[in-house]
Amino acid sequence: MRRWIHSLMILYSILGLCQLQPLIQESEQLASQWVEIVQGEVKGSIVGEDGKPVIAQLRFFDSDGALIKRIQTDIDGNFEILLDEGHYNLEVSKGYEYEMKQLPIEVKKENPLNLKSISLTRLMDWTAKSYLCGDLHQHSQFSDDGLNTVEEVLIANLANGLDFGAMADHNTVDGNDEWLSLSQKLSYLAIPAQEITTNQGHYLALNTSNLIDVTALTSEDEIDQMIDEAHHQGGMIQINHPGRNFSFWNVGGQFDAIEIWNGQAMPPIPNLNDIDEEFAYNQISKQKWFDLLSEGVKITALGNSDNHDISSESITAPISENEQFNEWIAQGLYNGNPRNYVKVEEESVEGILKGIKDGHVFITNGPLMDVTLNEATFGDRVVSTNEAEISYLIASNQGSLEALNVIADGQVIETIPLAEDVPTLGTINLNLSNYQWVVFEVISKSYEYAISNPIYLK
Ligand SMILES: [Zn+2]
């Protein structure tokens, strides 16, 4: 809101200069409010338990809990920002495996704050369970609608705890060289990509370096050609946000992946009420994916942010009459929200691509899952299912977990209650002999949500 006042002030000042008399009085009133806003400096550094610098994310909330600013440290863990004088709650975080530290601070011009060596504890280690996490659909300035440099997106990804990612700019591969070369220096696994943006849907061509020059699609044959071209380059191809603008469902099963959760719309949580149609397409995408699975198609589901602005400042204003929606969007639309946790045999781009191909993936905006069915993992096939043994470990650093749903052939067949803020570990036996596939879903008391890829049965 304050930013609006600033912008209005500048606007009114310009109008004032143009001698528009009726506005001058209001302009003077706003000017007196404006000059009262004094800024103070906050700087500091973030370290891990070992005292070494950590690249982290910082969010500043005002005393009403409204998000004022989101920034990242630099690669040496340092940050520096000017904020309006006042009281804030500073949240320091690094994705879903670290604590989310809260620090009340007061910003005053006369007393610059220097918060040295704030330590951030890693609570969970899913890498030790062979999972790496990443966001495969993000944009930079190489897209005409992207706001950030490639480097800014990369630092924001590291600050948000991501291990890998793809830069998927609209109909260009021009950002890939920089994306790959910068990543190499920062032990981040970068995948070259592009978002093929057509009049009939958008497609992520993952692990492709040459432009796939398609902007109009008129037939299923042309879809086939596009898929072939991606495969020819050694790539994979995903239908992006299909619930929004994809209609070639006859050939939907030919794609390698389907983006059932796109960060620009509400998560595909069951029973969300009256979502504006514009933001409900993940629900449609998820249902279409379930339909494909029930037709016997094996296709990997992925979730990505589709982020165009790492600060999320261009999109935080509530724009709906739906309270649920406003609450959700006020949290910000960030890179890495949601993200894919991919189980890998080796920590490399090849390992990640193979993990995706094999469906060893769950998608999340917070909850972490480790689930096996007769010792098989997501994407695997299990034959003996009369007395299937499901073992689960579910955890979250946000503390609002509610239940683990077992979904078989599209229906919830079992709901297992979860502790809100401590990991839940358990085993149950279920007869799954009548089903073709099973998916696991974590629901919460807020907007935290996670969904796995299927374990195929029979
Ligand atoms: Zn996109």
Side-chain angles (χ1 to χ4, degrees), residues 137-139 168 170 195 202 240-241 244 262 306-308:
H137 180 177
Q138 308 177 83
H139 295 270
H170 296 291
E195 183 170 22
H202 300 179
N240 290 351
H241 41 68
R244 200 170 90 194
N262 174 282
D306 199 359
N307 195 278
H308 292 69

Side-chain angles (χ1 to χ4, degrees), residues 244-287:
R244 200 170 90 194
N245 52 3
F246 178 74
S247 52
F248 294 97
W249 286 105
N250 280 339
V251 289
Q254 316 244 9
F255 287 85
D256 303 294
I258 173 168
E259 188 180 62
I260 63 157
W261 184 354
N262 174 282
Q264 302 283 315
M266 288 193 81
I269 300 173
N271 310 322
L272 281 183
N273 302 323
D274 309 322
I275 314 168
D276 300 31
E277 210 175 303
E278 195 187 343
F279 297 100
Y281 56 78
N282 286 325
Q283 270 69 11
I284 299 168
S285 304
K286 180 177 144 194
Q287 187 54 52

